[in-house]
Amino acid sequence: MALSSRTKQPYFGFKGKWLTFWITLACATDMTLFGYDQGVFSGVVISKDYLDTHNLNGPENTSTLSIITSIYTIGCFLGAITAFYIGETIGRKRTVLVGTAIMTIGAILQTSSFSVPHMIVARVVTGIGNGINTATAPVWQTETSKVHNRGKLVMLEMGLNIFGFSLSNWINYGMSFVGGSLGWRFPLALQLVFCFILFSTIPWLPESPRWLLAHGQEAEASMILADLEDKPVDDPYVVAERDEIIYGIEYERQNAINWGDLLRGRTKSGTKTIRRLALGAGTQAMQQFGGINIMSYYLPTVLIESVKLDDSMARLIAACASVAYLFASLAAAPLVEKVGRRIMMMVSTAIQLLCFLLVTVLLHFAEKPDYLHQVEVAKASVVWFIIYYMGFGLGMLGIPWLYPTEINSLPMRTKGAAVATMTNWITNFVVVEITPIGIQKLGWKFYIIWVITNALFLPIIWLVYPETANRTLEDLDAFYRDNPPLILHRDHDSTSIRRPERFITAQGRDIEEAAQNLRRRGSILEHDAAEKSLSD
């Protein structure tokens, strides 16, 4: 009887932490699928049966292999553009369902591929679905999370993204002993398991209350805010939170600009729309030009071509490296609110810089003619590839997916996340496209590029990126209404990990005003009831 009653309640009766858990599970499954997708093709491109079936053997086909691998990121770019247009119209959860349906079709097409054109179409379709989902799921998570665990949950999801990546590496390694068509088709088919989980959870979960308020659905939004907090719908905290969101929506609408004016740089003062878009998209550009997808898509290839390892050992090391990567990314989740976004991005980038510098030096000697210890220094570079993964997992993995959902205002949040995701995929395409050719043509000199890019990113983060940890999304809107400086490393409110006192005071005042209004409303109702009873 109790079970029957529960199934009739919204979200099966889950509220508070349990409701947040199920939303996180759905978003985490989506990001796990994203990670699995990134890693699975690194094993496919070195599978003998795949190369034979698609006539891709030999160095003369390196460019075609690059195109097949990188065209997926063009699909992701197109998916992010699609999310840009539909995300604010149909809502967060429906958008993720659309993306998942497209990914299901793409996974089936990849698994059944027998030709290069077939695989290219399959990769593009899968990419479109993934681009839609990766532009939307972090926004949905952010808008349904409490301020104290918002960053932690998104970083946890990115940790599970690396779980998916690691899983694909170990499956690739295991299936390499099976060989044949099954050796590469089975790992591609496993994408469908994640799609099934998403179709089983998302439909019964709540929409973003912030999206609902922005579209005039106040009653449903208020109920969801109350359920997420596990409080009554007329609780002062819930009322104050709802009113603050509505105020932010109205302010942004009054200062809204169309995309034509935005692209021409014609913006109204008070919202800093372009600056916030650029900061969010900039984190994704730094993530990709930091060199991560040299490893994600091609680490076995890098180990075979640059370090001269055999196929089996390259796969095994890539799988072991993914485990180190996973632990580092999971360690980042509890740190993100304590240490803050800025410091974690800077530490992560500094580790990447050090690793690429040492890899460059070691591979220089490994490729130097007549050098006596070529094998030893080549193998020594493997350690720094693994440490690079760990450094990236500590900051630059998750924060570029979290930051755009925080820094952009509510009316721009879906668009801002989509712009950031588009930036991720177009820069991702550049890196994935040039890597095999760069390794083949430049050898050790190819890695100098990534030493330089990481060196450039450190001062940029320090000078212009404000801290978003321990702030509500409405705090950040208020922060930009106060016209903060562009160069902000000396501005305490911009860089402090703790929530600035002025935001705490303002929220306390809002809650007190909401409580007073509720008491006043209660007194009026009591007075009206008393008069009615006297007249009767």
Side-chain angles (χ1 to χ4, degrees):
M1 188 72 179
L3 181 61
S4 174
S5 173
R6 185 164 194 154
T7 57
K8 293 177 182 177
Q9 296 179 51
Y11 332 121
F12 296 106
F14 292 116
K15 294 185 179 184
K17 291 181 179 179
W18 274 110
L19 186 55
T20 300
F21 166 81
W22 282 103
I23 295 171
T24 303
L25 178 68
C27 292
T29 301
D30 179 65
M31 299 312 281
T32 304
L33 174 56
F34 168 33
Y36 186 88
D37 242 20
Q38 275 194 305
V40 71
F41 221 68
S42 67
V44 172
V45 295
I46 59 172
S47 296
K48 186 178 184 303
D49 185 81
Y50 168 78
L51 297 173
D52 291 342
T53 301
H54 295 80
N55 297 313
L56 290 170
N57 285 300
E60 67 276 8
N61 287 307
T62 299
S63 294
T64 306
L65 274 169
S66 294
I67 290 168
I68 293 171
T69 305
S70 61
I71 202 73
Y72 166 78
T73 64
I74 294 298
C76 292
F77 177 76
L78 296 174
I81 294 175
T82 304
F84 183 93
Y85 285 104
I86 70 171
E88 198 59 39
T89 304
I90 67 174
R92 314 311 190 213
K93 65 182 231 178
R94 287 193 190 97
T95 302
V96 176
L97 286 171
V98 169
T100 304
I102 294 171
M103 285 196 82
T104 302
I105 296 167
I108 294 168
L109 288 172
Q110 284 188 84
T111 305
S112 60
S113 176
F114 279 95
S115 68
V116 168
H118 186 157
M119 183 57 84
I120 286 175
V121 171
R123 296 283 288 166
V124 171
V125 171
T126 307
I128 290 171
N130 189 53
I132 291 171
N133 284 2
T134 53
T136 310
V139 176
W140 187 28
Q141 179 73 78
T142 299
E143 292 185 343
T144 53
S145 300
K146 296 180 182 179
V147 62
H148 66 274
N149 62 13
R150 183 181 67 229
K152 189 187 303 181
L153 291 176
V154 174
M155 293 296 283
L156 177 62
E157 284 166 18
M158 292 314 298
L160 291 172
N161 168 274
I162 304 310
F163 171 75
F165 176 76
S166 180
L167 179 65
S168 69
N169 275 276
W170 283 107
I171 288 172
N172 279 335
Y173 178 64
M175 294 307 292
S176 69
F177 296 103
V178 175
S181 179
L182 186 64
W184 62 272
R185 292 188 192 275
F186 177 74
L188 291 172
L190 278 180
Q191 296 171 85
L192 296 170
V193 174
F194 301 103
C195 294
F196 175 78
I197 295 170
L198 289 169
F199 283 130
S200 301
T201 53
I202 292 173
W204 58 268
L205 289 169
E207 181 54 84
S208 160
R210 287 171 169 83
W211 182 85
L212 290 168
L213 286 169
H215 290 78
Q217 300 179 48
E218 189 171 322
E220 185 179 354
S222 298
M223 186 62 68
I224 292 171
L225 283 171
D227 287 341
L228 288 168
E229 295 290 343
D230 198 10
K231 296 178 185 290
V233 74
D234 59 353
D235 185 271
Y237 185 90
V238 174
V239 173
E241 186 177 15
R242 182 198 65 205
D243 291 346
E244 190 175 13
I245 294 168
I246 292 172
Y247 174 78
I249 293 167
E250 292 303 319
Y251 183 89
E252 290 292 333
R253 283 176 178 165
Q254 290 166 13
N255 292 275
I257 54 172
N258 62 48
W259 282 102
D261 288 339
L262 183 65
L263 294 172
R264 294 183 185 93
R266 299 172 185 167
T267 62
K268 299 177 183 179
S269 61
T271 59
K272 300 293 181 291
T273 303
I274 290 180
R275 189 196 300 186
R276 296 163 81 173
L277 278 172
L279 288 169
T283 59
Q284 292 283 17
M286 288 188 291
Q287 182 194 70
Q288 292 305 313
F289 286 132
I292 180 55
N293 279 312
I294 297 169
M295 316 294 182
S296 295
Y297 287 91
Y298 294 118
L299 185 57
T301 303
V302 168
L303 295 174
I304 291 167
E305 297 293 330
S306 294
V307 186
K308 312 303 180 189
L309 298 178
D310 61 68
D311 179 291
S312 181
M313 182 56 70
R315 287 176 186 262
L316 178 59
I317 288 175
C320 291
S322 71
V323 174
Y325 190 7
L326 172 62
F327 281 117
S329 62
L330 292 174
L335 295 175
V336 69
E337 300 297 350
K338 296 177 182 176
V339 179
R341 291 29 161 179
R342 280 166 51 86
I343 292 175
M344 288 184 73
M345 284 197 291
M346 285 190 285
V347 169
S348 183
T349 302
I351 294 171
Q352 293 171 193
L353 168 61
L354 174 65
C355 291
F356 269 124
L357 179 62
L358 291 170
V359 164
T360 302
V361 172
L362 291 167
L363 292 182
H364 164 64
F365 284 106
E367 295 177 19
K368 193 173 183 179
D370 303 323
Y371 184 68
L372 296 177
H373 303 287
Q374 285 180 319
V375 174
E376 290 83 354
V377 292
K379 289 181 178 178
S381 70
V382 172
V383 175
W384 297 103
F385 284 118
I386 295 172
I387 294 174
Y388 173 91
Y389 263 149
M390 296 172 71
F392 179 82
L394 283 172
M396 290 307 291
L397 164 69
I399 292 173
W401 294 99
L402 168 65
Y403 202 87
T405 68
E406 296 180 314
I407 202 69
N408 287 292
S409 62
L410 176 58
M412 290 298 297
R413 194 162 292 134
T414 301
K415 295 182 178 72
V419 168
T421 307
M422 284 188 277
T423 303
N424 174 283
W425 293 118
I426 201 66
T427 51
N428 188 325
F429 171 77
V430 172
V431 174
V432 174
E433 176 67 18
I434 67 172
T435 293
I437 300 165
I439 292 170
Q440 189 179 66
K441 302 289 186 184
L442 298 176
W444 69 270
K445 294 176 185 175
F446 177 68
Y447 300 99
I448 295 174
I449 298 168
W450 315 107
V451 175
I452 294 169
T453 56
N454 282 288
L456 290 173
F457 296 153
L458 277 171
I460 292 172
I461 297 167
W462 182 59
L463 290 171
V464 303
Y465 275 83
E467 185 56 67
T468 59
N470 301 305
R471 277 94 164 151
T472 68
L473 300 177
E474 289 66 43
D475 286 348
L476 294 166
D477 288 341
F479 170 73
Y480 278 104
R481 287 197 293 269
D482 290 342
N483 194 26
L486 176 62
I487 306 300
L488 44 70
H489 63 289
R490 293 181 179 174
D491 181 65
H492 185 262
D493 278 1
S494 300
T495 59
S496 171
I497 297 167
R498 292 185 178 182
R499 189 183 185 192
E501 189 62 37
R502 60 193 175 104
F503 297 142
I504 297 172
T505 302
Q507 185 180 37
R509 186 173 61 246
D510 290 343
I511 293 172
E512 180 58 34
E513 286 177 4
Q516 288 176 1
N517 289 335
L518 288 170
R519 286 195 293 269
R520 194 178 301 120
R521 194 181 309 161
S523 298
I524 292 170
L525 290 172
E526 286 176 9
H527 180 266
D528 289 346
E531 283 191 343
K532 187 177 179 181
S533 65
L534 286 173
S535 63
D536 291 342

